[in-house]
Amino acid sequence: MNEIYHIPAMLRETIQGLNIQPDGLYVDVTFGGGGHSRAILDQLSEQGKLYSFDQDLDTLQNVMHQDNWQFVHSNFRYLRNFMDYYGVKQIDGLLADLGVSFHHFDCPERGFSFRFSAPLDMRMNQTGGKTAADILNTYSEEDLARVLYIYGELKNSRQIAKKIVKARGQKAIERTEELVEVVMGKTPSVPLQGGKDGQELDIPAGAKKDLARLFQALRIEVNDEMGALREMLLAAKDLLKPGGRIVILTYHSLEDRMVKNFLRSGNLEGKIEKDFYGNILSPFKVIEKGLTASEEEVERNPRARSAKLRVAEKIV
Ligand SMILES: C[S@@+](CC[C@H](N)C(=O)[O-])C[C@H]1O[C@@H](n2cnc3c(N)ncnc32)[C@H](O)[C@@H]1O
């Protein structure tokens, strides 16, 4: 396999944030290409243990063969269930490097990228669930507009939703190039470009920013990324032992806001509880408040540009 599956973002800072105890028990809920997992394992003794989750079966090409490592093919929303299954009551640290890997964008047939002709799939877990095409062809105009506005921060979300609903009345929107043409105001009945999986599409430079937001919004909805994150954060809070670290890399403002609020307050609403003296009552002490990649890293790996690192320590 020649493809680079993924280049881990902020690797040194992430490992520092975890403050790894060699005999400790760690969970990497987003295995991907395994870059972060390998760096964690390098710090663990034979008595230590790492569980790595990923819902994407393609990540199996990156598995390692070590007794102190366990791969879990699952959505990380089931973190608690799997830790129960493995008899784990407490963990010393958890890492979540959210979102998709390079592999998803570089694998045209998965439909994550508007750069290539492909079926509109976008599922990280290819074994089930609704695809982006299902959403585009079945959601009401109102629901489509909501998804595009909230997850893509698209100001013209209503206009785009209207175009989608109008176009699908003539023909279901099934491929990336069809969606691109619809939002750019063309008819999808005769694909003007693409048509063959993996064929590069000729996208005008001016359209790329909005298309990136549109595809991001659909991807988040397809994979219920915010729902999974919520469930995982709550489970992580219960599983972490006092002194244990939670380290999260976020890539867009919505997930970053949720993580920031959760690590400050210990609850998903971000509601800060204070004691009689005005001291914040939170199960976490915030260690790192949104560190970004160094210029040198971004030059080497431009996709690290949007990464934000947050670290907290469980105190009670
Ligand atoms: C940014 S990549 C992680 C890259 C990894 N840190 C590395 O060093 O290669 C995110 C990975 O998490 C997986 N993923 C995203 N959301 C998930 C979820 N809810 N449950 C399980 N895996 C998930 C994706 O399939 C992808 O492989």
Side-chain angles (χ1 to χ4, degrees), residues 175-192:
R175 300 187 60 84
T176 51
E177 66 270 23
E178 292 174 344
L179 178 60
V180 171
E181 289 175 349
V182 167
V183 300
M184 288 175 60
K186 295 179 184 167
T187 158
S189 51
V190 188
L192 298 177

Side-chain angles (χ1 to χ4, degrees), residues 6 8 30-36 54-55 74-76 97 99-100 104 124:
H6 190 77
T30 47
F31 176 63
H36 284 112
D54 208 295
Q55 60 180 333
S74 165
N75 192 304
F76 59 54
D97 178 15
V100 279
H104 289 120
M124 289 190 217

Side-chain angles (χ1 to χ4, degrees), residues 240-303:
L240 276 170
K241 56 169 76 151
R245 293 278 181 97
I246 179 165
V247 177
I248 308 204
L249 280 157
T250 66
Y251 293 87
H252 59 82
S253 57
L254 202 63
E255 67 188 9
D256 190 57
R257 204 173 316 134
M258 181 185 288
V259 171
K260 175 179 157 188
N261 286 337
F262 186 78
L263 298 185
R264 270 173 64 214
S265 66
N267 59 67
L268 291 168
E269 299 73 38
K271 208 171 132 228
I272 305 277
E273 312 264 359
K274 292 192 176 165
D275 68 11
F276 181 75
Y277 303 100
N279 301 312
I280 293 178
L281 293 172
S282 167
F284 298 115
K285 177 170 104 191
V286 175
I287 308 280
E288 201 62 76
K289 294 180 176 171
L291 190 69
T292 51
S294 66
E295 270 176 40
E296 182 269 322
E297 174 168 359
V298 173
E299 202 164 303
R300 216 174 357 98
N301 175 15
R303 287 171 171 177

